Amino acid sequence: MKAGDTTIFRLQISENAKETTAAWERPEHFETDGENFSSIRGPLVRRPASSVRVDKGDIELRFDDPAPHSRPDVFRLHRVDATHLRVTYENFEPFDFVRSAPGTETIGPWDQGRTYVRLIARSTSAEMTAIFEADQNDRKAEKIDWSQVSAADERRRTRTQELLDSDALQSGEDFYHAAFVFQHGDLADDILKAHVLATIAVARGKPAAVWIASATLDRYLHRIGKPQVLGTQYKLSQGEPVTQEPYNKTLVSDSVRKALHVPGLAEQEQQRLRLQARNGGAKQP
């Protein structure tokens, strides 16, 4: 099983007239969320399976964890074809294993400071993309009838929730689009949901979603009457000074804002002044 160009795991399965045995070769230590492997260190270890059993055509391998009071690691192997296995482990998305001839596949070496990313193909929903584009296009008109847009927003949120509930959204792009739809909601929970969806989008390989994750955090805080902490939200009212208040500017530093693709305090003030100079109303992004 590879992450990037490096083999992380290897399963060896042998069969003779009496029994089937298996072993799991892996780094001694690693951290993973199922997609990213990091902090890989230590020598290669080979752990023999404590049990091998066939269940409905699949093979279940059980590996006892030597750490005290630890649960065993259980792999369920499903044969895709003559050279590929799909392996289910914990609650992670299935791992794809490719057959290799003995002695031909090198496992490791690993760089402890590197994160190895397992490529997972996820389809993007054409319907979710269309919903997002409609959401954005409604906000580009010169004159906007917000009563009509609000009604359309509600229909888009309802349909997006149906797609989420049916597990139809898979890719980082899908969750990025869904976050934009929910951030235009009327309720604080809509904004909070948008923040959660944006976080998933980042985790599934959509770096651009870092900004919407930041913006929805600030918008949620404002919606529940708390100060924003990153500075993404500006309040524009005709004839009134443009403001970011309430705003807790000291909770995080500009270095944290930079990591989240948010301008620093000085740049935010310049943006506030620019908005003040042309303040004639506001459109939601």
Side-chain angles (χ1 to χ4, degrees):
M1 192 281 297
K2 288 180 177 288
D5 57 355
T6 303
T7 299
I8 306 294
F9 297 156
R10 181 165 58 197
L11 296 172
Q12 295 181 321
I13 304 172
S14 303
E15 186 178 38
N16 58 36
K18 294 183 178 180
E19 62 178 351
T20 300
T21 60
W24 175 20
E25 292 187 345
R26 43 159 283 184
E28 183 178 50
H29 179 273
F30 62 89
E31 296 175 5
T32 185
D33 59 3
E35 188 167 351
N36 303 283
F37 290 81
S38 60
S39 301
I40 302 177
R41 63 179 183 270
L44 173 70
V45 296
R46 188 173 190 274
R47 186 182 297 174
S50 57
S51 71
V52 180
R53 73 182 188 94
V54 177
D55 179 34
K56 298 178 182 178
D58 293 343
I59 297 176
E60 182 184 275
L61 306 181
R62 181 177 295 265
F63 299 92
D64 293 331
D65 192 320
H69 311 296
S70 295
R71 294 183 297 109
D73 295 300
V74 179
F75 291 171
R76 188 178 183 88
L77 284 56
H78 176 76
R79 183 180 184 274
V80 177
D81 56 37
T83 58
H84 294 84
L85 289 177
R86 180 144 294 178
V87 178
T88 304
Y89 172 60
E90 298 284 351
N91 293 318
F92 299 136
E93 293 194 50
F95 296 91
D96 293 318
F97 279 69
V98 179
R99 181 190 293 275
S100 62
T104 63
E105 183 66 39
T106 301
I107 182 167
W110 308 284
D111 178 352
Q112 183 177 340
R114 177 182 168 187
T115 296
Y116 298 84
V117 181
R118 183 167 69 99
L119 296 180
I120 301 175
R122 298 185 178 99
S123 60
T124 294
S125 165
E127 183 179 3
M128 189 65 245
T129 299
I131 291 172
F132 167 75
E133 290 174 349
D135 171 276
Q136 295 297 290
N137 288 336
D138 277 355
R139 288 164 167 77
K140 294 177 181 177
E142 286 297 322
K143 294 183 178 180
I144 300 176
D145 184 338
W146 284 109
S147 63
Q148 291 188 9
V149 172
S150 294
D153 282 346
E154 184 174 359
R155 291 192 297 271
R156 285 189 281 261
R157 288 194 301 276
T158 297
R159 181 54 185 156
T160 299
Q161 187 62 55
E162 290 172 351
L163 294 172
L164 287 166
D165 291 343
S166 64
D167 204 25
L169 305 186
Q170 294 295 321
S171 70
E173 195 81 6
D174 283 341
F175 286 97
Y176 176 71
H177 291 160
F180 270 89
V181 170
F182 273 99
Q183 73 144 344
H184 293 144
D186 299 319
L187 304 176
D189 279 357
D190 293 330
I191 314 304
L192 183 58
K193 184 179 292 184
H195 178 70
V196 172
L197 296 172
T199 303
I200 297 172
V202 174
R204 293 202 169 180
K206 182 68 177 179
V210 169
W211 184 86
I212 189 65
S214 302
T216 48
L217 172 61
D218 277 346
R219 187 169 291 190
Y220 173 71
L221 290 170
H222 269 187
R223 192 63 60 92
I224 63 174
K226 300 292 185 180
Q228 64 174 319
V229 295
L230 297 174
T232 62
Q233 304 299 296
Y234 297 83
K235 183 179 180 181
L236 296 86
S237 300
Q238 187 67 40
E240 298 292 332
V242 175
T243 180
Q244 294 171 281
E245 298 299 333
Y247 184 6
N248 181 351
K249 297 181 179 180
T250 61
L251 183 70
V252 300
S253 65
D254 273 358
S255 63
V256 171
R257 292 184 178 90
K258 180 180 179 181
L260 293 171
H261 304 175
V262 174
L265 293 177
E267 190 175 345
Q268 289 179 21
E269 176 61 13
Q270 293 301 311
Q271 172 69 0
R272 190 191 69 80
L273 293 174
R274 288 192 294 270
L275 291 170
Q276 182 67 58
R278 65 173 186 263
N279 184 20
K283 297 178 184 179
Q284 288 181 289

